[in-house]
Amino acid sequence: MTRSIHADVALNLALAVIAASDAPALLLDQDFTIIAASTSSCRAFAFDRRQAVGRTPMELGDGEWDVPQLRTLLGVTFRGDAEIECYEMDLDGPGAPRRLVLRAKMLDYGDLARPRLLLTISDVTEARISEKLKDDLLREKAILLQELQHRVANSLQIIASVLMQSARRVQSEETRSHLRDAHNRVMSIATVQQHLAASRLGEVELRAYFTQLCQSLGASMIRDPDLVSLKVSADDSMVNADISVSLGLIVTELVINALKHAFPGERGGAILVDYHALGEAWKLTVRDDGVGTPRKLAAAKPGLGTSMSNGVQKGPPIGVEEGPPFRI
C-alpha cells in the first residue's frame, strides 16, 4: 500500500511538472497514450490538452504526426532496447513544414508494472534554416575564392611571360637582368599562390612549401644542377597562410640573391634553406658556401636582398654545423 501511495504521489508530481514545463513535452503510457501534455506543447503545435490526453501522438493534428518511424522508435524505447536521443523528423502540418528533434526516455518512478515514457519535442526549424544559409554562403565563398585563385594564377603567368619576352627583346644587359629578376619573383609568387590554394586546412606545412618554392626558383635560375644545388632542411612546423606568405617572400629574395651573387663564373656550390622551431621560437636561415659578401656592406650593389640584411643577425642555423657566413 505504501509503495502504491508513493508511486501515485510521484506520478502526480510528474504530471504537474510536465503540465507546467516551458519545453514541449508529452508523458506517454505503455500503449503510447498521452497521460499529460505541457502547455508549451499545446501552444507550439496548436492542439487542445483536453483532446490530446487519452490519445496517441500519432492521432494529433490532421495525422501529420503519424510517422511509421516514430511509432517504431517509441516501441523500441518502451521495450528498453534503445532510447531516442536525437530523432529528427519533418512535420508537414498547417503552414510551413517544421523540423523537429524528438527525445524519448523511460521514467523510473518505482512502478515497474506501469512504465511511462517522456517525449520532449524541440522545434529546430529556424536553426536548420540558419545552418543551411551558412552552408550556402560558405559554399558560395569557396567558389568565389577558387575563381579568384584561378584568375590570380592566370594573371601571374601572363605577367611572367610578358617579362620574359621583354627580357629577350631589350639590348641592355642590365635591363635584361632586372627583367629576369622580376620574372623570377613573379614565378615564386605564383608558386606561393599555387601551394596556398592547394592547402585546405588553413595551415601550411613549411617543409613541403619551401621545397616547392625552391624547386621553382632553381628551375628558373640554376643553369647546371650538377654545379649548384639548392636544398631545404625543415622540421614538421605548420603555420597559418599569412605567416607562410611572409616567410615565402623572404626565402625568395634571399635565395635569388644567393643564386645571383654567390657563384660567379663557373663556380659551384650549395645553398641551404633551414627552418626549425623550438616552442614559440623559430629560426629561418638561408646559407650558401659561395664567395661571401663584401667586407663592407656599403660596397655591395644596392638591392632588395642587400637591404634585407640590415638588422639580421648572422649565425649558424639550428641543427647545422658552423660554416661560411650567411648570404643575405
Side-chain angles (χ1 to χ4, degrees), residues 209-266:
Y209 173 52
F210 287 153
T211 299
Q212 184 178 1
L213 182 60
C214 289
Q215 286 175 349
S216 176
L217 292 171
S220 61
M221 295 188 67
I222 298 178
R223 298 179 182 178
D224 186 355
D226 295 330
L227 197 63
V228 177
S229 65
L230 176 55
K231 299 181 180 180
V232 173
S233 173
D235 55 23
D236 297 328
S237 295
M238 304 278 290
V239 298
N240 64 46
D242 293 337
I243 294 178
S244 69
V245 169
S246 300
L247 293 175
L249 294 177
I250 293 173
V251 169
T252 296
E253 292 302 325
L254 298 183
V255 169
I256 288 177
N257 193 46
L259 290 172
K260 285 174 59 179
H261 303 295
F263 313 108
E266 297 300 320

Side-chain angles (χ1 to χ4, degrees), residues 116-134:
R116 300 288 195 274
L117 184 145
L118 179 64
L119 178 65
T120 58
I121 309 166
S122 301
D123 190 338
V124 295
T125 306
E126 294 298 328
R128 293 296 182 265
I129 292 175
S130 298
E131 290 175 1
K132 185 178 184 302
L133 179 60
K134 180 181 178 180

Side-chain angles (χ1 to χ4, degrees), residues 273-290:
V273 176
D274 184 274
Y275 181 95
H276 284 81
L278 293 174
E280 296 183 357
W282 55 270
K283 179 179 284 189
L284 171 64
T285 303
V286 178
R287 171 194 290 273
D288 68 67
D289 58 0

Side-chain angles (χ1 to χ4, degrees), residues 176-194:
R176 184 180 297 109
S177 176
H178 289 318
L179 289 173
R180 285 175 176 169
D181 285 348
H183 170 268
N184 291 330
R185 288 186 172 91
V186 170
M187 289 304 297
S188 69
I189 295 299
T191 302
V192 171
Q193 189 271 340
Q194 179 183 3

Side-chain angles (χ1 to χ4, degrees), residues 73-148:
L73 290 172
L74 289 177
V76 169
T77 304
F78 262 118
R79 291 194 300 270
D81 297 335
E83 291 184 357
I84 306 175
E85 293 293 341
C86 187
Y87 173 61
E88 292 197 19
M89 61 172 280
D90 292 317
L91 185 68
D92 298 322
R98 303 165 75 172
R99 188 71 172 176
L100 306 179
V101 174
L102 308 182
R103 294 178 176 85
K105 185 175 181 61
M106 294 295 297
L107 297 182
D108 182 9
Y109 62 98
D111 189 353
L112 299 179
R114 301 189 63 185
R116 300 288 195 274
L117 184 145
L118 179 64
L119 178 65
T120 58
I121 309 166
S122 301
D123 190 338
V124 295
T125 306
E126 294 298 328
R128 293 296 182 265
I129 292 175
S130 298
E131 290 175 1
K132 185 178 184 302
L133 179 60
K134 180 181 178 180
D135 290 341
D136 291 342
L137 291 175
L138 290 175
R139 192 177 300 108
E140 181 180 357
K141 180 181 178 181
I143 294 174
L144 292 175
L145 181 59
Q146 186 178 21
E147 178 64 23
L148 176 62

Side-chain angles (χ1 to χ4, degrees), residues 143-164:
I143 294 174
L144 292 175
L145 181 59
Q146 186 178 21
E147 178 64 23
L148 176 62
Q149 289 171 343
H150 285 313
R151 290 178 181 271
V152 170
N154 292 338
S155 298
L156 290 172
Q157 292 294 333
I158 292 173
I159 293 171
S161 298
V162 170
L163 289 171
M164 185 56 67

